[in-house]
Amino acid sequence: MELIQRYVSKELTHFVGRHKPEHERFDLLIDIIRSGWLLHKDIGGNIKINPNAHGLENIVIPGITCFADIPINDLSLHMEKYSNFGLAFKKDFLVEKGANPVYYLATNGIVGDSNKCAREAYFKENVKGYFTWVNELKKMFKEQGFSPEHLENLERLDSFLIKHIFAYFKPFDASKTDADEDNYYLEREWRIVGDVKFHIHDITRILIPERYGKKLREMLPNYYGQISFTE
């Protein structure tokens, strides 16, 4: 018999309309499903970089589509913080589209043995230092006539770190209670940088309050996946 680790899921769930009234959440969910697109917040591109930002999470701002890796029976706390309207996909489906877990950073943690430093300050200093260094290096390569290959290699490394490391940083305060909206660790977040295209048959589960069940079936007659009532 295969053993099951219950605190992770075979599905990844995306919730919609966090700051919207309930009826607008439902309308948004229907619009998303009919469109076949999960669209990230418009930031003027897939990734925005601001080396002078105050907070660590604002230095590299990716345009992301987020999912929670939480089993269906344990979603109540997450839904209280975000929304009780959502849709889920098989984890394998999203992995093939580039989904990956974020890198959680306990901002109130300590780094170093002798010169102890708060982790958030340590990461912020080094990420900002990286952008200063790499920009100076690019300038030097151009001014001193380095071969195009050297610049290409540097830009490849820069792109890798921005898109696949910095874009997945998720700072959180480990001193917060589980129910605190700023305790992001319990989200078990996976993300995709960019938008997600899907078909209705890719959806494995739709999550809505029970009172919207009849309306959902009327508006999405071609949906044959699971419907889970959130209240």
Side-chain angles (χ1 to χ4, degrees), residues 37-223:
W37 283 97
L38 286 174
L39 303 177
H40 70 273
K41 183 178 180 181
D42 185 10
I43 60 168
N46 278 346
I47 297 180
K48 183 178 179 180
I49 298 172
N50 180 11
N52 298 316
H54 176 70
L56 172 60
E57 199 168 13
N58 295 321
I59 299 174
V60 177
I61 303 176
I64 52 175
T65 308
C66 299
F67 304 87
D69 184 7
I70 304 173
I72 182 66
N73 292 330
D74 297 310
L75 275 170
S76 297
L77 179 60
H78 185 78
M79 289 190 293
E80 282 186 19
K81 296 181 183 181
Y82 287 87
S83 169
N84 53 354
F85 291 79
L87 64 165
F89 302 88
K90 288 291 186 185
K91 187 178 288 181
D92 290 345
F93 169 76
L94 292 172
V95 166
E96 290 179 358
K97 291 185 174 291
N100 198 71
V102 299
Y103 308 138
Y104 283 105
L105 301 170
T107 55
N108 56 320
I110 300 298
V111 175
D113 297 324
S114 54
N115 298 320
K116 295 186 182 299
C117 178
R119 181 173 281 108
E120 182 172 28
Y122 177 79
F123 270 75
K124 187 162 57 176
E125 177 185 354
N126 282 281
V127 172
K128 287 187 174 184
Y130 164 78
F131 282 111
T132 299
W133 170 81
V134 80
N135 288 333
E136 290 177 353
L137 206 54
K138 287 179 181 179
K139 182 180 178 182
M140 183 186 75
F141 279 11
K142 292 176 181 178
E143 291 177 346
Q144 297 188 12
F146 278 70
S147 70
E149 183 181 358
H150 283 86
L151 185 58
E152 288 172 6
N153 289 337
L154 179 61
E155 289 179 338
R156 188 181 302 114
L157 174 62
D158 186 35
S159 177
F160 164 73
L161 290 173
I162 291 171
K163 294 179 180 178
H164 301 289
I165 304 297
F166 299 155
Y168 286 83
F169 281 175
K170 185 68 174 182
F172 78 103
D173 186 342
S175 69
K176 301 288 186 182
T177 64
D178 290 354
D180 195 300
E181 288 191 359
D182 292 330
N183 187 345
Y184 303 117
Y185 184 68
L186 297 183
E187 296 174 5
R188 302 194 62 83
E189 182 187 334
W190 287 56
R191 63 176 53 164
I192 291 174
V193 177
D195 304 324
V196 179
K197 175 66 176 171
F198 65 91
H199 298 286
I200 195 167
H201 62 261
D202 296 319
I203 303 170
T204 57
R205 186 188 309 273
I206 294 176
L207 298 95
I208 52 170
E210 186 173 2
R211 55 188 167 275
Y212 288 90
K214 182 175 183 293
K215 189 175 181 181
L216 178 81
R217 291 184 176 93
E218 291 172 349
M219 299 186 76
L220 298 175
N222 295 324
Y223 175 69

